[in-house]
Amino acid sequence: MFAVTVIAGILFTWCVLSRRLALWSVTAPIAMMATGIALTSGSDPPLVFDFGDLAGFEHAVEVVLALLLFVDATEVPAGAIRRERRIVTRLLGVALPLTLGAAFLTALVFFPDRPGWVLATLATVVVPLDLAPATAVVRDARIPARLRELLNVEGGLSDGVVSPVFLVCVAAAAEYRTAGDDYAEALLDAVGAAGWAVGAGALVGTVAGRLLRRSWARGWVLPTATRLAVLSVPVAAYSLSLALGGNGFVAAFVAGLCVAPALRHLPEDTLKMTDDLATLSTLALWFLFGQLVSDEFWDGFHLNVVLYAVLACTLVRGLPVLLALVGTDLSLPDRLFLGWMGPRGVASVVFGLLAAIELREAGGGDFVSRVMVITVMVSIVLHGLSAEPLGRRYARGRRAAPLPRAGR
């Protein structure tokens, strides 16, 4: 319980100093991670977290991701998707698969002794976009609103798109090491679980959205009750999916997509409680991530891991984005910006933790966790340091005029 007190105290301290810390781009995730590193480092650290109860820890991590995916899905602006349908389709339908393939092929070069399915799992871990560690860029008014909007849409949808792929890869990786080459059953189970998850999420999200909208229109529901109702949606989708043999966080993401249209007809703060709970849970994960960083650097320096992480955060994403956006109305500097600005964060942390748990007995779990830690750290450094220079570049006037919308 002392660790909970420490985490709460750190969060409170950041909150009361948040405006001052924002001047140095010290976001809440970065503050929690840095404190976690400081308090769990050394041969006799003040705090040490023991993840002995793997089953309980796995479910806790899944619930955190379920809340995060639900919030991401509900906050994706429908208008932005309609306005930028062509570019969003290219980013998610072309650039994202190419990035996954590039991450896998690069892993084959750097880690040739690792099984292919483990490397495929690694690719799904290091690819998802998360804007939380780079909020300075998203909120920087010097950067064209269109680019920030595109990043928000991609960040809200990419981890949900990658989730089913991650499930298939991690299931195949576990079966490959435990049952030889006969992993077809594991693949079928993973696909079936994703199917049940989509069905459960769509059912819960659609029904909940319609009931909430009608109840609010007829004056049957209190404003405070709408916040509780929305919070119950990802919980219901997650638990129903598990009961049916599906995956909970995929169900939560689909539920968010299905309930989102109804939220536009409800009070503006309807999602606030769920958003705050998701934020609080992910900040606790960032603190735990600090211990993972301490453990990794305490164990030694792995040059091939660092080189792979650097490529994963730069060329592995940048080149596919540039290729996918050829022929659009975006200028080359804007395409370079979108290709560069691909921060990794809590989605990679959660996927990495789940892979470490699932592959612990089969082998490969520690490896995936190590690469995940270094990749997220490299991303925080590269994308954090580049935020201010990018803002200054746009402020100099090259893109001072508002960008024309697609199709105009």
Side-chain angles (χ1 to χ4, degrees):
M1 293 304 294
F2 177 68
V4 176
T5 304
V6 171
I7 294 175
I10 295 165
L11 178 60
F12 180 82
T13 302
W14 179 87
C15 289
V16 298
L17 298 174
S18 56
R19 186 177 293 275
R20 302 283 297 179
L21 293 174
L23 299 175
W24 293 281
S25 299
V26 180
T27 62
I30 291 177
M32 297 296 286
M33 179 193 66
T35 312
I37 294 173
L39 295 180
T40 60
S41 298
S43 56
D44 188 21
L47 289 177
V48 176
F49 295 95
D50 183 11
F51 306 122
D53 183 9
L54 292 180
F57 181 67
E58 180 178 8
H59 285 305
V61 171
E62 284 191 0
V63 170
V64 171
L65 183 59
L67 290 173
L68 178 67
L69 290 173
F70 177 81
V71 172
D72 284 348
T74 56
E75 290 186 336
V76 173
I81 296 178
R82 287 193 297 268
R83 287 191 300 270
E84 305 289 358
R85 180 171 58 252
R86 183 185 180 194
I87 293 179
V88 170
T89 300
R90 290 193 179 204
L91 286 173
L92 297 177
V94 179
L96 183 55
L98 288 177
T99 303
L100 286 169
F104 172 71
L105 293 176
T106 306
L108 282 176
V109 174
F110 280 90
F111 315 109
D113 57 328
R114 297 287 179 175
W117 282 112
V118 172
L119 298 182
T121 301
L122 175 64
T124 63
V125 169
V126 302
V127 161
L129 184 71
D130 180 23
L131 299 176
T135 52
V137 171
V138 181
R139 296 173 182 173
D140 193 339
R142 296 173 297 180
I143 296 172
R146 184 186 185 188
L147 299 182
R148 290 183 279 128
E149 189 175 70
L150 286 170
L151 282 176
N152 271 318
V153 172
E154 186 186 6
L157 296 177
S158 65
D159 45 5
V161 174
V162 173
S163 295
V165 184
F166 166 77
L167 292 175
V168 171
C169 291
V170 76
E175 189 67 17
Y176 177 82
R177 296 303 300 269
T178 57
D181 294 331
D182 186 17
Y183 49 82
E185 184 177 352
L187 286 172
L188 291 176
D189 289 344
V191 173
W196 282 114
V198 171
L203 175 64
V204 171
T206 301
V207 172
R210 291 179 178 177
L211 291 177
L212 268 173
R213 181 176 177 179
R214 292 181 180 180
S215 181
W216 176 255
R218 297 179 182 181
W220 292 351
V221 58
L222 294 170
T224 53
T226 61
R227 296 194 287 271
L228 288 172
V230 171
L231 177 60
S232 70
V233 174
V235 176
Y238 174 84
S239 57
L240 177 61
S241 179
L242 290 185
L244 295 174
N247 187 273
F249 52 81
V250 174
F253 177 77
V254 175
L257 292 176
C258 293
V259 81
L263 296 181
R264 293 193 289 273
H265 302 277
L266 300 175
E268 292 184 359
D269 62 348
T270 298
L271 193 64
K272 188 64 176 175
M273 180 182 293
T274 307
D275 190 14
D276 287 343
L277 182 57
T279 300
L280 184 63
S281 302
T282 54
L283 289 178
L285 273 183
W286 277 111
F287 188 88
L288 296 178
F289 178 74
Q291 175 171 319
L292 297 178
V293 174
S294 300
D295 293 343
E296 172 57 29
F297 284 97
W298 187 257
D299 288 340
F301 185 79
H302 305 273
L303 181 59
N304 60 337
V305 173
V306 175
L307 292 176
Y308 176 80
V310 171
L311 288 176
C313 293
T314 54
L315 295 179
V316 164
R317 169 180 165 82
L319 291 179
V321 169
L322 286 176
L323 289 174
L325 297 181
V326 170
T328 65
D329 62 341
L330 289 172
S331 66
L332 178 59
D334 291 339
R335 296 201 301 270
L336 288 171
F337 171 84
L338 291 176
W340 168 259
M341 192 49 59
R344 273 55 161 193
V346 71
S348 291
V349 173
V350 173
F351 284 162
L353 289 173
L354 292 175
I357 293 171
E358 294 293 334
L359 302 180
R360 183 177 295 270
E361 295 182 1
D366 291 339
F367 162 73
V368 173
S369 177
R370 179 186 306 120
V371 180
M372 175 272 293
V373 168
I374 300 301
T375 301
V376 174
M377 287 296 298
V378 168
S379 174
I380 289 174
V381 173
L382 291 180
H383 298 116
L385 292 178
S386 63
E388 181 59 25
L390 285 171
R392 288 199 303 267
R393 187 189 75 81
Y394 278 104
R396 281 195 293 265
R398 293 188 61 186
R399 305 297 296 175
L403 289 173
R405 293 293 180 186
R408 294 186 181 180

